[in-house]
Coordinates of all heavy atoms in Angstrom, one line a residue:
M118 N -24.9 13.9 -1.5 CA -25.3 13.8 -2.9 C -25.0 12.4 -3.4 O -23.9 12.1 -3.6 CB -24.5 14.9 -3.7 CG -25.2 15.3 -5.0 SD -24.5 16.7 -5.8 CE -22.9 16.0 -6.3
S119 N -26.0 11.6 -3.7 CA -25.8 10.3 -4.2 C -26.4 10.2 -5.6 O -27.6 10.1 -5.7 CB -26.4 9.3 -3.3 OG -27.8 9.3 -3.2
S120 N -25.6 10.2 -6.5 CA -26.0 10.1 -7.9 C -25.3 9.0 -8.5 O -24.2 8.6 -8.0 CB -25.6 11.4 -8.7 OG -25.7 11.2 -10.1
K121 N -25.8 8.4 -9.6 CA -25.1 7.3 -10.3 C -24.0 7.9 -11.1 O -23.1 7.2 -11.6 CB -26.0 6.5 -11.1 CG -26.7 7.2 -12.2 CD -27.6 6.3 -13.0 CE -26.9 5.3 -13.8 NZ -27.7 4.7 -14.9
Y122 N -24.0 9.2 -11.3 CA -23.1 9.9 -12.2 C -22.0 10.6 -11.4 O -22.2 10.9 -10.2 CB -23.7 10.9 -13.1 CG -24.8 10.2 -14.0 CD1 -26.2 10.4 -13.7 CD2 -24.4 9.5 -15.1 CE1 -27.1 9.8 -14.5 CE2 -25.4 8.9 -15.8 CZ -26.7 9.0 -15.6 OH -27.7 8.5 -16.3
M123 N -20.9 10.8 -12.0 CA -19.8 11.5 -11.4 C -19.1 12.3 -12.5 O -19.1 12.0 -13.7 CB -18.8 10.6 -10.7 CG -18.2 9.6 -11.5 SD -16.9 8.6 -10.7 CE -15.6 9.8 -10.6
L124 N -18.4 13.4 -12.0 CA -17.6 14.2 -12.9 C -16.2 13.7 -12.9 O -15.7 13.4 -11.8 CB -17.7 15.7 -12.6 CG -19.1 16.3 -12.8 CD1 -19.1 17.7 -12.1 CD2 -19.4 16.3 -14.2
K125 N -15.6 13.7 -14.0 CA -14.2 13.3 -14.1 C -13.4 14.3 -14.9 O -13.7 14.6 -16.0 CB -14.1 11.9 -14.8 CG -12.7 11.5 -15.1 CD -12.0 11.0 -13.8 CE -10.6 10.5 -14.2 NZ -9.8 10.3 -12.9
N126 N -12.4 14.9 -14.2 CA -11.5 15.8 -15.0 C -10.4 15.0 -15.6 O -9.4 14.6 -14.9 CB -11.0 16.9 -14.0 CG -10.1 17.9 -14.7 OD1 -10.0 17.9 -15.9 ND2 -9.4 18.8 -13.9
Q127 N -10.5 14.9 -16.9 CA -9.5 14.0 -17.6 C -8.1 14.7 -17.6 O -7.1 14.0 -17.7 CB -10.0 13.7 -19.0 CG -11.2 12.9 -19.0 CD -11.7 12.5 -20.3 OE1 -11.5 13.2 -21.3 NE2 -12.3 11.4 -20.4
M128 N -8.1 16.0 -17.4 CA -6.8 16.7 -17.3 C -6.0 16.2 -16.2 O -4.8 16.1 -16.2 CB -7.1 18.2 -17.2 CG -5.8 19.0 -17.4 SD -5.0 18.8 -19.0 CE -5.9 20.1 -19.9
E129 N -6.7 15.8 -15.1 CA -6.0 15.3 -13.9 C -5.2 14.0 -14.2 O -4.0 13.9 -13.8 CB -7.0 15.0 -12.8 CG -6.3 14.7 -11.5 CD -7.3 14.6 -10.3 OE1 -8.4 15.1 -10.4 OE2 -7.0 13.9 -9.3
D130 N -5.8 13.1 -14.9 CA -5.1 11.9 -15.3 C -3.9 12.2 -16.1 O -2.8 11.6 -16.0 CB -6.0 10.9 -16.0 CG -7.0 10.2 -15.1 OD1 -6.8 10.4 -13.8 OD2 -7.8 9.5 -15.5
C131 N -4.1 13.1 -17.1 CA -3.0 13.5 -18.0 C -1.8 14.0 -17.2 O -0.6 13.7 -17.5 CB -3.4 14.4 -19.0 SG -4.7 13.8 -20.1
V132 N -2.1 14.9 -16.2 CA -1.0 15.5 -15.5 C -0.3 14.5 -14.7 O 1.0 14.5 -14.6 CB -1.6 16.7 -14.6 CG1 -0.5 17.1 -13.6 CG2 -2.0 17.8 -15.4
W133 N -1.0 13.6 -14.0 CA -0.3 12.6 -13.2 C 0.5 11.7 -14.1 O 1.6 11.3 -13.7 CB -1.4 11.7 -12.5 CG -1.9 12.3 -11.2 CD1 -3.2 12.7 -11.0 CD2 -1.2 12.5 -10.0 NE1 -3.3 13.1 -9.7 CE2 -2.1 13.0 -9.1 CE3 0.1 12.3 -9.6 CZ2 -1.8 13.4 -7.8 CZ3 0.5 12.6 -8.3 CH2 -0.5 13.2 -7.4
E134 N 0.0 11.5 -15.3 CA 0.8 10.6 -16.2 C 2.1 11.2 -16.7 O 3.1 10.5 -16.9 CB -0.1 10.2 -17.4 CG 0.5 9.2 -18.3 CD -0.5 8.5 -19.1 OE1 -1.7 8.4 -18.7 OE2 -0.2 8.0 -20.2
L135 N 2.1 12.5 -16.9 CA 3.3 13.2 -17.3 C 4.2 13.6 -16.2 O 5.4 14.0 -16.4 CB 3.0 14.4 -18.2 CG 2.3 14.1 -19.6 CD1 2.0 15.4 -20.3 CD2 3.3 13.3 -20.4
L136 N 3.7 13.6 -15.0 CA 4.5 14.1 -13.8 C 5.9 13.5 -13.7 O 6.9 14.2 -13.6 CB 3.7 13.8 -12.5 CG 4.4 14.2 -11.2 CD1 4.6 15.7 -11.1 CD2 3.6 13.7 -10.0
D137 N 6.0 12.1 -13.8 CA 7.2 11.5 -13.5 C 8.2 11.8 -14.7 O 9.4 12.0 -14.4 CB 7.1 10.0 -13.4 CG 6.5 9.6 -12.1 OD1 6.7 10.3 -11.1 OD2 5.7 8.6 -12.0
Q138 N 7.7 11.9 -15.9 CA 8.6 12.3 -17.0 C 9.2 13.6 -16.8 O 10.4 13.8 -17.1 CB 7.8 12.3 -18.3 CG 7.4 11.0 -18.9 CD 6.7 11.2 -20.2 OE1 7.0 12.1 -21.0 NE2 5.6 10.4 -20.4
V139 N 8.4 14.6 -16.4 CA 9.0 15.9 -16.2 C 9.9 16.0 -15.0 O 10.9 16.6 -15.0 CB 7.8 17.0 -16.2 CG1 8.4 18.4 -16.1 CG2 6.9 16.8 -17.4
L140 N 9.4 15.3 -13.9 CA 10.2 15.4 -12.7 C 11.6 14.7 -12.9 O 12.6 15.1 -12.2 CB 9.5 14.6 -11.6 CG 8.6 15.4 -10.6 CD1 8.0 14.4 -9.6 CD2 9.4 16.5 -9.9
A141 N 11.7 13.8 -13.8 CA 12.9 13.1 -14.0 C 14.0 14.1 -14.5 O 15.2 13.8 -14.4 CB 12.7 12.0 -15.0
Q142 N 13.6 15.2 -15.0 CA 14.5 16.2 -15.5 C 15.0 17.1 -14.4 O 15.9 18.0 -14.6 CB 13.9 17.0 -16.6 CG 13.5 16.2 -17.8 CD 12.5 17.0 -18.8 OE1 12.6 18.2 -18.9 NE2 11.7 16.2 -19.4
Y143 N 14.5 16.9 -13.2 CA 14.9 17.8 -12.1 C 15.3 16.9 -10.9 O 14.5 16.8 -9.9 CB 13.7 18.7 -11.7 CG 13.3 19.6 -12.8 CD1 12.4 19.3 -13.7 CD2 13.9 20.9 -12.9 CE1 12.0 20.1 -14.8 CE2 13.6 21.8 -13.9 CZ 12.6 21.4 -14.8 OH 12.3 22.2 -15.8
P144 N 16.4 16.3 -11.0 CA 16.9 15.3 -9.9 C 17.0 16.0 -8.6 O 16.9 15.3 -7.6 CB 18.2 14.8 -10.5 CG 18.7 15.7 -11.5 CD 17.4 16.4 -12.1
E145 N 17.1 17.3 -8.5 CA 17.3 18.0 -7.2 C 16.0 18.3 -6.6 O 16.0 18.7 -5.4 CB 18.2 19.2 -7.5 CG 17.4 20.4 -8.1 CD 17.2 20.3 -9.6 OE1 17.5 19.2 -10.1 OE2 16.8 21.3 -10.2
V146 N 14.9 18.1 -7.3 CA 13.6 18.5 -6.7 C 13.1 17.3 -5.8 O 13.2 16.1 -6.2 CB 12.6 18.8 -7.8 CG1 11.2 18.9 -7.2 CG2 13.0 20.1 -8.5
C147 N 12.5 17.7 -4.6 CA 12.0 16.7 -3.8 C 10.8 16.0 -4.4 O 10.0 16.6 -5.1 CB 11.5 17.3 -2.5 SG 10.7 16.2 -1.3
K148 N 10.8 14.6 -4.3 CA 9.7 13.9 -5.0 C 8.8 13.1 -4.0 O 8.2 12.1 -4.3 CB 10.3 12.9 -6.0 CG 11.0 13.6 -7.1 CD 11.8 12.7 -8.0 CE 12.5 13.4 -9.1 NZ 13.5 14.4 -8.6
C149 N 8.7 13.7 -2.8 CA 7.9 13.0 -1.8 C 6.4 13.2 -2.2 O 6.1 14.0 -3.0 CB 8.1 13.6 -0.4 SG 7.4 15.2 -0.1
E150 N 5.5 12.5 -1.5 CA 4.1 12.5 -1.9 C 3.5 14.0 -1.7 O 2.7 14.4 -2.5 CB 3.3 11.5 -1.0 CG 2.0 11.3 -1.6 CD 1.2 10.2 -0.8 OE1 1.5 10.0 0.4 OE2 0.4 9.5 -1.4
N151 N 3.9 14.6 -0.6 CA 3.4 16.0 -0.4 C 3.8 16.9 -1.6 O 2.9 17.6 -2.1 CB 4.1 16.5 0.9 CG 3.5 17.8 1.4 OD1 3.8 18.3 2.5 ND2 2.6 18.4 0.7
C152 N 5.0 16.9 -2.0 CA 5.5 17.7 -3.1 C 4.8 17.3 -4.4 O 4.4 18.2 -5.2 CB 7.0 17.7 -3.2 SG 7.8 18.6 -1.8
R153 N 4.7 16.0 -4.6 CA 4.0 15.6 -5.9 C 2.6 16.1 -6.0 O 2.1 16.6 -7.0 CB 4.1 14.1 -6.0 CG 5.5 13.5 -6.2 CD 5.6 12.1 -5.9 NE 4.8 11.3 -6.8 CZ 5.2 10.8 -8.0 NH1 6.5 11.0 -8.3 NH2 4.4 10.2 -8.8
Y154 N 1.9 16.0 -4.9 CA 0.5 16.5 -4.9 C 0.4 18.0 -5.1 O -0.4 18.6 -5.8 CB -0.3 16.1 -3.6 CG -1.0 14.8 -3.7 CD1 -0.3 13.6 -3.5 CD2 -2.3 14.7 -4.1 CE1 -1.0 12.4 -3.6 CE2 -3.0 13.5 -4.2 CZ -2.3 12.3 -4.0 OH -3.0 11.2 -4.2
D155 N 1.4 18.7 -4.4 CA 1.4 20.2 -4.6 C 1.7 20.5 -6.0 O 1.1 21.5 -6.6 CB 2.5 20.8 -3.7 CG 2.1 20.9 -2.2 OD1 0.9 20.8 -2.0 OD2 3.0 21.1 -1.4
I156 N 2.6 19.8 -6.7 CA 3.0 20.1 -8.1 C 1.7 19.9 -9.0 O 1.4 20.7 -9.8 CB 4.1 19.2 -8.5 CG1 5.4 19.7 -7.8 CG2 4.3 19.2 -10.0 CD1 6.6 18.7 -7.9
V157 N 1.0 18.8 -8.7 CA -0.1 18.4 -9.6 C -1.2 19.5 -9.3 O -1.9 19.9 -10.3 CB -0.6 17.0 -9.3 CG1 -2.0 16.8 -10.0 CG2 0.4 16.0 -9.8
A158 N -1.5 19.9 -8.1 CA -2.5 20.9 -7.8 C -2.2 22.2 -8.5 O -3.0 22.8 -9.2 CB -2.6 21.1 -6.3
L159 N -0.9 22.7 -8.4 CA -0.5 23.9 -9.0 C -0.7 23.8 -10.6 O -1.1 24.7 -11.2 CB 0.9 24.2 -8.7 CG 1.2 24.9 -7.3 CD1 2.7 24.8 -7.0 CD2 0.7 26.3 -7.3
T160 N -0.3 22.7 -11.1 CA -0.4 22.5 -12.5 C -1.8 22.5 -13.0 O -2.2 23.2 -14.0 CB 0.2 21.1 -12.9 OG1 1.6 21.1 -12.4 CG2 0.2 20.9 -14.4
L161 N -2.7 21.8 -12.3 CA -4.1 21.8 -12.7 C -4.8 23.1 -12.6 O -5.7 23.4 -13.4 CB -4.9 20.7 -11.8 CG -4.6 19.3 -12.2 CD1 -5.2 18.3 -11.2 CD2 -5.2 19.0 -13.6
N162 N -4.3 24.0 -11.6 CA -4.9 25.3 -11.5 C -4.5 26.2 -12.7 O -5.1 27.2 -12.9 CB -4.4 26.0 -10.2 CG -5.2 25.4 -9.0 OD1 -6.3 24.9 -9.2 ND2 -4.6 25.6 -7.9
R163 N -3.5 25.8 -13.4 CA -3.0 26.6 -14.6 C -3.6 26.1 -15.9 O -3.4 26.7 -16.9 CB -1.5 26.5 -14.7 CG -0.8 27.3 -13.6 CD 0.7 26.9 -13.7 NE 1.4 27.7 -12.7 CZ 2.0 28.8 -13.0 NH1 1.9 29.3 -14.2 NH2 2.7 29.5 -12.0
L164 N -4.2 24.9 -15.9 CA -4.7 24.3 -17.1 C -6.2 24.3 -17.1 O -6.9 24.2 -16.1 CB -4.2 22.9 -17.2 CG -2.7 22.8 -17.4 CD1 -2.3 21.3 -17.2 CD2 -2.3 23.2 -18.8
P165 N -6.8 24.4 -18.3 CA -8.3 24.3 -18.4 C -8.7 22.9 -18.0 O -8.1 21.9 -18.5 CB -8.6 24.6 -19.9 CG -7.4 24.3 -20.6 CD -6.2 24.5 -19.6
P166 N -9.8 22.7 -17.2 CA -10.3 21.4 -16.9 C -10.9 20.8 -18.1 O -11.4 21.5 -19.1 CB -11.3 21.6 -15.8 CG -11.7 23.0 -16.0 CD -10.6 23.8 -16.6
R167 N -11.0 19.5 -18.2 CA -11.6 18.7 -19.3 C -12.6 17.7 -18.6 O -12.3 16.6 -18.5 CB -10.6 18.0 -20.1 CG -9.7 18.8 -20.9 CD -10.5 19.3 -22.2 NE -9.6 19.9 -23.1 CZ -9.1 19.3 -24.2 NH1 -9.2 18.0 -24.3 NH2 -8.3 19.9 -25.0
Y168 N -13.8 18.2 -18.2 CA -14.7 17.4 -17.5 C -15.5 16.5 -18.5 O -15.9 16.9 -19.5 CB -15.7 18.2 -16.7 CG -15.0 18.6 -15.4 CD1 -14.6 20.0 -15.2 CD2 -14.8 17.7 -14.3 CE1 -14.0 20.4 -14.0 CE2 -14.2 18.2 -13.2 CZ -13.8 19.5 -13.0 OH -13.2 19.9 -11.9
T169 N -15.7 15.3 -18.0 CA -16.7 14.4 -18.7 C -17.5 13.8 -17.6 O -17.2 13.8 -16.5 CB -15.9 13.3 -19.5 OG1 -15.1 12.5 -18.6 CG2 -15.1 13.8 -20.6
V170 N -18.7 13.2 -18.0 CA -19.6 12.6 -17.1 C -19.4 11.1 -17.2 O -19.3 10.5 -18.3 CB -21.1 12.9 -17.5 CG1 -22.0 12.2 -16.6 CG2 -21.3 14.4 -17.4
R171 N -19.3 10.5 -16.0 CA -19.1 9.0 -16.0 C -20.2 8.4 -15.1 O -20.8 9.1 -14.3 CB -17.7 8.7 -15.4 CG -16.6 9.1 -16.3 CD -15.3 8.5 -15.9 NE -14.3 8.7 -16.9 CZ -13.1 8.3 -16.8 NH1 -12.7 7.6 -15.7 NH2 -12.2 8.5 -17.8
V172 N -20.4 7.1 -15.3 CA -21.3 6.4 -14.4 C -20.4 5.7 -13.4 O -19.5 5.0 -13.7 CB -22.1 5.3 -15.2 CG1 -23.0 4.5 -14.3 CG2 -22.9 6.1 -16.3
K173 N -20.8 5.9 -12.1 CA -20.0 5.3 -11.0 C -19.9 3.8 -11.1 O -20.9 3.2 -11.5 CB -20.6 5.7 -9.7 CG -20.4 7.1 -9.2 CD -21.1 7.4 -7.9 CE -21.1 8.8 -7.6 NZ -22.0 9.2 -6.5
G174 N -18.7 3.3 -10.9 CA -18.6 1.9 -10.8 C -18.3 1.3 -12.2 O -17.9 0.1 -12.3
E175 N -18.4 2.0 -13.3 CA -18.1 1.5 -14.6 C -16.7 1.7 -14.9 O -16.0 2.6 -14.5 CB -19.0 2.2 -15.7 CG -20.4 1.7 -15.6 CD -21.2 2.1 -16.9 OE1 -20.6 2.6 -17.8 OE2 -22.4 1.7 -16.9
I176 N -16.2 0.7 -15.6 CA -14.7 0.8 -16.0 C -14.6 1.6 -17.3 O -15.4 1.3 -18.3 CB -14.2 -0.6 -16.2 CG1 -14.5 -1.5 -15.0 CG2 -12.7 -0.6 -16.5 CD1 -13.7 -1.1 -13.8
Y177 N -13.7 2.5 -17.3 CA -13.5 3.3 -18.6 C -12.1 3.0 -19.1 O -11.2 2.9 -18.4 CB -13.7 4.8 -18.3 CG -15.1 5.1 -18.0 CD1 -15.7 5.0 -16.8 CD2 -15.9 5.7 -19.1 CE1 -17.0 5.3 -16.6 CE2 -17.2 6.0 -18.9 CZ -17.8 5.8 -17.6 OH -19.1 6.1 -17.4
A178 N -12.1 2.9 -20.4 CA -10.8 2.7 -21.1 C -9.9 3.9 -20.8 O -10.4 5.1 -20.7 CB -11.0 2.5 -22.6
K179 N -8.7 3.7 -20.6 CA -7.8 4.8 -20.4 C -7.7 5.7 -21.7 O -7.8 5.2 -22.8 CB -6.4 4.2 -20.2 CG -5.5 5.1 -19.3 CD -4.2 4.4 -19.0 CE -3.2 5.5 -18.6 NZ -1.8 5.0 -18.6
L180 N -7.7 7.0 -21.4 CA -7.7 7.9 -22.5 C -6.4 7.8 -23.3 O -5.3 7.6 -22.8 CB -7.6 9.3 -22.0 CG -8.9 10.1 -21.9 CD1 -8.6 11.6 -21.8 CD2 -9.8 9.9 -23.1
A181 N -6.5 7.8 -24.6 CA -5.3 7.9 -25.4 C -4.6 9.2 -25.1 O -5.3 10.2 -24.7 CB -5.7 7.9 -26.9
M182 N -3.3 9.2 -25.1 CA -2.6 10.5 -24.7 C -3.0 11.6 -25.7 O -3.3 11.4 -26.8 CB -1.1 10.2 -24.8 CG -0.3 10.8 -23.6 SD -1.0 12.2 -22.8 CE -0.5 11.8 -21.1
L183 N -3.0 12.8 -25.1 CA -3.5 13.9 -25.8 C -2.6 14.3 -27.0 O -1.5 13.9 -27.0 CB -3.7 15.1 -24.8 CG -4.7 14.8 -23.7 CD1 -4.4 15.7 -22.5 CD2 -6.1 15.1 -24.3
E184 N -3.2 15.1 -27.8 CA -2.4 15.5 -29.0 C -1.2 16.4 -28.5 O -1.1 16.9 -27.4 CB -3.3 16.3 -29.9 CG -3.9 17.6 -29.4 CD -5.2 17.3 -28.6 OE1 -5.5 16.2 -28.2 OE2 -6.0 18.3 -28.5
A185 N -0.3 16.6 -29.5 CA 1.0 17.1 -29.2 C 0.9 18.5 -28.5 O 1.6 18.8 -27.5 CB 1.9 17.2 -30.4
Q186 N 0.1 19.4 -29.1 CA 0.1 20.8 -28.5 C -0.4 20.7 -27.1 O 0.1 21.5 -26.2 CB -0.9 21.6 -29.4 CG -1.0 23.1 -28.9 CD 0.4 23.7 -28.6 OE1 1.2 23.7 -29.5 NE2 0.6 24.4 -27.5
H187 N -1.4 19.9 -26.8 CA -1.9 19.7 -25.5 C -0.8 19.3 -24.5 O -0.7 19.7 -23.4 CB -3.1 18.7 -25.6 CG -4.1 19.0 -24.6 ND1 -5.2 19.8 -24.9 CD2 -4.3 18.7 -23.3 CE1 -6.0 19.9 -23.9 NE2 -5.4 19.2 -22.9
R188 N -0.1 18.3 -25.0 CA 1.0 17.8 -24.1 C 2.0 18.9 -23.8 O 2.5 19.0 -22.7 CB 1.7 16.6 -24.9 CG 1.0 15.3 -24.9 CD 1.7 14.3 -25.7 NE 3.0 14.0 -25.1 CZ 3.2 12.8 -24.6 NH1 2.3 11.8 -24.6 NH2 4.4 12.5 -24.0
A189 N 2.3 19.7 -24.8 CA 3.3 20.8 -24.7 C 2.8 21.7 -23.6 O 3.5 22.2 -22.7 CB 3.5 21.5 -26.0
D190 N 1.5 22.0 -23.6 CA 0.9 22.9 -22.6 C 1.0 22.3 -21.2 O 1.3 23.0 -20.2 CB -0.6 23.2 -22.8 CG -0.8 24.0 -24.1 OD1 0.2 24.7 -24.5 OD2 -1.9 24.0 -24.6
I191 N 0.8 21.0 -21.1 CA 0.9 20.3 -19.8 C 2.3 20.3 -19.3 O 2.6 20.6 -18.1 CB 0.3 18.9 -19.9 CG1 -1.2 18.9 -20.2 CG2 0.5 18.2 -18.5 CD1 -1.8 17.6 -20.5
Y192 N 3.2 20.0 -20.2 CA 4.7 20.0 -19.9 C 5.1 21.4 -19.3 O 5.8 21.5 -18.3 CB 5.5 19.7 -21.1 CG 5.9 18.3 -21.2 CD1 5.2 17.4 -22.0 CD2 7.1 17.9 -20.6 CE1 5.6 16.1 -22.2 CE2 7.5 16.5 -20.7 CZ 6.7 15.7 -21.5 OH 7.1 14.4 -21.6
Q193 N 4.6 22.4 -20.0 CA 5.0 23.8 -19.6 C 4.4 24.1 -18.2 O 5.1 24.6 -17.3 CB 4.5 24.8 -20.6 CG 5.0 26.2 -20.4 CD 4.5 27.2 -21.4 OE1 3.3 27.0 -21.9 NE2 5.2 28.2 -21.7
A194 N 3.2 23.8 -18.0 CA 2.5 24.1 -16.7 C 3.2 23.2 -15.6 O 3.4 23.7 -14.5 CB 1.0 23.8 -16.7
L195 N 3.5 22.0 -15.9 CA 4.2 21.1 -14.9 C 5.6 21.7 -14.5 O 6.0 21.7 -13.4 CB 4.4 19.7 -15.5 CG 3.4 18.7 -15.1 CD1 3.6 17.4 -16.0 CD2 3.4 18.3 -13.6
T196 N 6.3 22.2 -15.6 CA 7.6 22.7 -15.3 C 7.5 23.9 -14.4 O 8.3 24.0 -13.4 CB 8.3 23.1 -16.6 OG1 8.4 21.9 -17.5 CG2 9.7 23.7 -16.4
Q197 N 6.6 24.8 -14.6 CA 6.4 26.0 -13.8 C 6.1 25.6 -12.4 O 6.6 26.1 -11.4 CB 5.4 26.9 -14.4 CG 5.8 27.6 -15.6 CD 4.7 28.3 -16.3 OE1 3.5 28.1 -16.0 NE2 5.0 29.2 -17.2
A198 N 5.2 24.6 -12.2 CA 4.8 24.2 -10.9 C 6.0 23.5 -10.1 O 6.1 23.7 -8.9 CB 3.6 23.2 -11.0
I199 N 6.8 22.7 -10.8 CA 7.9 22.1 -10.2 C 8.9 23.1 -9.7 O 9.4 23.0 -8.6 CB 8.6 21.2 -11.2 CG1 7.8 19.9 -11.5 CG2 10.0 20.8 -10.7 CD1 8.2 19.0 -12.6
L200 N 9.1 24.2 -10.5 CA 10.0 25.2 -10.0 C 9.5 26.0 -8.8 O 10.3 26.3 -7.9 CB 10.3 26.2 -11.2 CG 11.0 25.6 -12.4 CD1 11.2 26.5 -13.5 CD2 12.4 25.0 -11.9
I201 N 8.2 26.2 -8.7 CA 7.6 26.8 -7.6 C 7.7 26.0 -6.3 O 8.2 26.4 -5.3 CB 6.1 27.2 -7.8 CG1 6.0 28.2 -8.9 CG2 5.4 27.6 -6.5 CD1 4.5 28.5 -9.4
V202 N 7.4 24.7 -6.4 CA 7.5 23.8 -5.3 C 8.9 23.6 -4.9 O 9.2 23.5 -3.7 CB 6.8 22.4 -5.6 CG1 7.0 21.4 -4.5 CG2 5.3 22.7 -5.8
K203 N 9.8 23.6 -5.8 CA 11.3 23.5 -5.5 C 11.7 24.6 -4.6 O 12.5 24.4 -3.7 CB 12.1 23.5 -6.8 CG 13.5 23.4 -6.6 CD 14.2 23.7 -8.0 CE 15.7 23.8 -7.8 NZ 16.4 24.2 -9.1
Q204 N 11.2 25.8 -4.9 CA 11.6 27.0 -4.1 C 10.9 27.1 -2.8 O 11.4 27.7 -1.9 CB 11.4 28.3 -4.9 CG 12.1 28.2 -6.3 CD 12.7 29.5 -6.7 OE1 12.0 30.5 -6.6 NE2 13.9 29.5 -7.2
H205 N 9.7 26.6 -2.8 CA 8.8 26.7 -1.6 C 8.2 25.4 -1.2 O 7.0 25.3 -1.2 CB 7.7 27.8 -1.8 CG 8.2 29.1 -2.3 ND1 8.8 30.0 -1.4 CD2 8.3 29.7 -3.5 CE1 9.2 31.1 -2.1 NE2 8.9 30.9 -3.4
P206 N 9.0 24.4 -0.8 CA 8.4 23.1 -0.4 C 7.6 23.4 0.9 O 8.1 24.2 1.7 CB 9.6 22.2 -0.2 CG 10.8 23.1 0.0 CD 10.5 24.4 -0.8
R207 N 6.5 22.7 1.1 CA 5.7 23.0 2.3 C 6.1 22.1 3.5 O 5.3 21.8 4.3 CB 4.2 22.7 1.9 CG 3.7 23.7 0.9 CD 2.2 23.8 0.9 NE 1.6 22.5 0.7 CZ 0.4 22.1 1.1 NH1 -0.3 23.0 1.8 NH2 0.0 21.0 0.8
H208 N 7.4 21.7 3.5 CA 7.9 21.0 4.6 C 9.3 21.3 4.8 O 10.0 21.9 3.9 CB 7.6 19.5 4.4 CG 8.3 18.9 3.1 ND1 9.6 18.9 2.9 CD2 7.7 18.5 1.9 CE1 9.9 18.4 1.7 NE2 8.7 18.2 1.1
E209 N 9.9 20.8 5.9 CA 11.3 21.1 6.1 C 12.1 20.3 5.1 O 11.7 19.2 4.7 CB 11.7 20.6 7.5 CG 11.0 21.4 8.6 CD 11.3 22.9 8.5 OE1 12.5 23.3 8.3 OE2 10.4 23.7 8.7
R210 N 13.2 20.8 4.7 CA 14.1 20.1 3.8 C 14.8 18.9 4.4 O 15.1 19.0 5.6 CB 15.1 21.0 3.2 CG 14.6 22.0 2.2 CD 15.6 23.1 1.9 NE 14.9 24.2 1.3 CZ 14.7 24.4 0.0 NH1 15.0 23.4 -0.9 NH2 14.1 25.4 -0.5
Ligands
LIG541 ZN1 8.8 17.0 -0.5

């Protein structure tokens, strides 16, 4: 499929942006790349996607951070995902 357009889930950027802030509150949780991706995937599965259409190759300004209620929802979903991955990391400790 070669189109000049692409879909972008802005929720994904927001989750990555808040990930480190929330992870900082859990010093005992593994922060390897595997676990970070697992946490973000679990979090995104719990949140509604926010798709927008973009033109490939164009530069887009970074989204302003979402409003407070939205951030609270992301924080909550991230926290739940962190606790799940903490209990069931997909690799040896
Ligand atoms: Zn890990």
